[in-house]
Amino acid sequence: MSNSSLHESNSRPSSPEHATPSEERRFPVSPGEMERGGGGDLHSRKLTKKASRSKQKQTQPLAVRNHNAIIKYGSLLLLVGQMVGLVMLMRYSRTHTDGELYLASTAVFMMEVMKLIICLGVVFYQTGALGTELYNHVWASPHEMLKLCVPSFLYTVQNNLLYLALTNLDAATYQILYQLKILTTALFSATMLGRRFTKTKWASLIVLTCGVAVVQVSGSSDHEASENEDRNRLVGLVAVLCAACTSGFSGVYFEKILKGSDVSLWIRNIQMGLPSVIIALVTVFINDSEEVSRKGFFVGYSPLVVSVITVQAVGGLIVAVVVKYADNVLKVFASSFSILLSCIISAFAFDFRPNLLFLVGAFLVMLSTAMYSKPPSKKRGLVHQRGKQPLPITHAGGL
């Protein structure tokens, strides 16, 4: 072989099958492969991972899948039960009284005490060292406790406002108007956390506002409000609006100061529960000191009132535990179904008769909830969800 031919054969790249790693990198890559990450490696890894997840799901034991389904749909039932049951019980307890009406401030205080006792019991059961946990996370963390006083105060105010709202509004109207907490949470997230939202989410907030406005203009109410002159729809509306604002701000503030924290849910509830109990007790004496001194702290209490307090305390903690098992679709379904169920129960229990405007507004609110919870596309999700953390569970009894 001549020198020229030898030089030519040495300079010519070998076939891809026999190429060395350094030679493989010199081979041209097609535009389609470049889009998939160069040589198709990234694309093939994604397909392999997807196929393995699908295969793992198919080979999952039937008992495990049934167990997951029970947890998932059991969470849905608990969410709906909490959303509807507490509102109905609270409305009934505020409108059906044979004697004296119980004081909302004392009910909020008892709810906070009960919730704190439950959390203390759970921490003691889990760790067996309640004193050590309290020292480490309460006594030895004054700065964090001070920061948590802000949401504790706001949640206490919020709970008192919700009692006031359900005294003056029927349950169905309350359920719809209180969905404004989605709007307030989004606005506070955008201003305080710099969070960006897709056009669909902003459109859903506009639809939500329109739906709430239509429901308020409709004037639908139950016969309890029309028969009792003490009921004031405007007072109920203002109370719901203020409660939605406190819910949105306190939730975003809670997320801002505690992002990245690894403290357990029960310890966090204890940290917030201690100042909440003190704030709630102060609220009792600021708002109702004369009533308490004349009629007693537990005036108007009955088994129904005790049930309301228990459901609010225990139900909120249960929902906080199980909400992580419910995906966005189930949460939207729970929210929409709770509105429908509230309308149906109100029609039978409180003689609630919705008109056409109310039904249109309710539909718009449910539509906006579905639009807001719709996940963004993959390309936009990388932009809009970068650094995004899930919103915290509120401390306000799961309302």
Side-chain angles (χ1 to χ4, degrees), residues 330-353:
L330 283 181
K331 291 175 188 175
V332 172
F333 181 79
S335 179
S336 301
F337 189 66
S338 65
I339 293 175
L340 292 175
L341 198 58
S342 296
C343 294
I344 295 172
I345 296 176
S346 296
F348 289 99
F350 303 105
D351 196 25
F352 176 71
R353 295 291 181 266

Side-chain angles (χ1 to χ4, degrees), residues 252-265:
V252 175
Y253 176 86
F254 194 79
E255 177 183 6
K256 185 178 178 67
I257 65 173
L258 298 177
K259 187 174 291 185
S261 175
D262 57 353
V263 178
S264 71
L265 170 70

Side-chain angles (χ1 to χ4, degrees), residues 82-143:
Q82 169 68 7
M83 291 176 181
V84 178
L86 179 58
V87 172
M88 290 297 168
L89 283 173
M90 194 180 293
R91 172 64 175 170
Y92 192 85
S93 69
R94 301 299 289 178
T95 55
H96 291 72
T97 54
D98 296 331
E100 294 283 348
L101 182 64
Y102 68 96
L103 302 174
S105 58
T106 63
V108 173
F109 171 76
M110 294 305 300
M111 182 269 294
E112 294 292 350
V113 170
M114 186 179 296
K115 187 183 293 185
L116 179 61
I117 293 173
I118 293 172
C119 293
L120 289 172
V122 172
V123 171
F124 177 74
Y125 175 78
Q126 289 180 343
T127 64
L130 180 60
T132 303
E133 294 292 329
L134 290 178
Y135 178 81
N136 292 334
H137 296 286
V138 177
W139 183 259
S141 305
H143 183 62

Side-chain angles (χ1 to χ4, degrees), residues 358-372:
F358 182 93
L359 295 177
V360 171
F363 172 76
L364 290 176
V365 170
M366 289 186 287
L367 176 63
S368 68
T369 306
M371 291 172 61
Y372 187 83

Side-chain angles (χ1 to χ4, degrees), residues 56-102:
Q56 185 179 5
K57 189 175 182 181
Q58 290 175 358
T59 58
Q60 204 173 32
L62 181 61
V64 175
R65 282 185 306 211
N66 290 339
H67 179 69
N68 292 339
I70 290 173
I71 292 179
K72 187 175 182 180
Y73 293 106
S75 303
L76 172 64
L77 291 177
L78 283 173
L79 285 172
V80 174
Q82 169 68 7
M83 291 176 181
V84 178
L86 179 58
V87 172
M88 290 297 168
L89 283 173
M90 194 180 293
R91 172 64 175 170
Y92 192 85
S93 69
R94 301 299 289 178
T95 55
H96 291 72
T97 54
D98 296 331
E100 294 283 348
L101 182 64
Y102 68 96

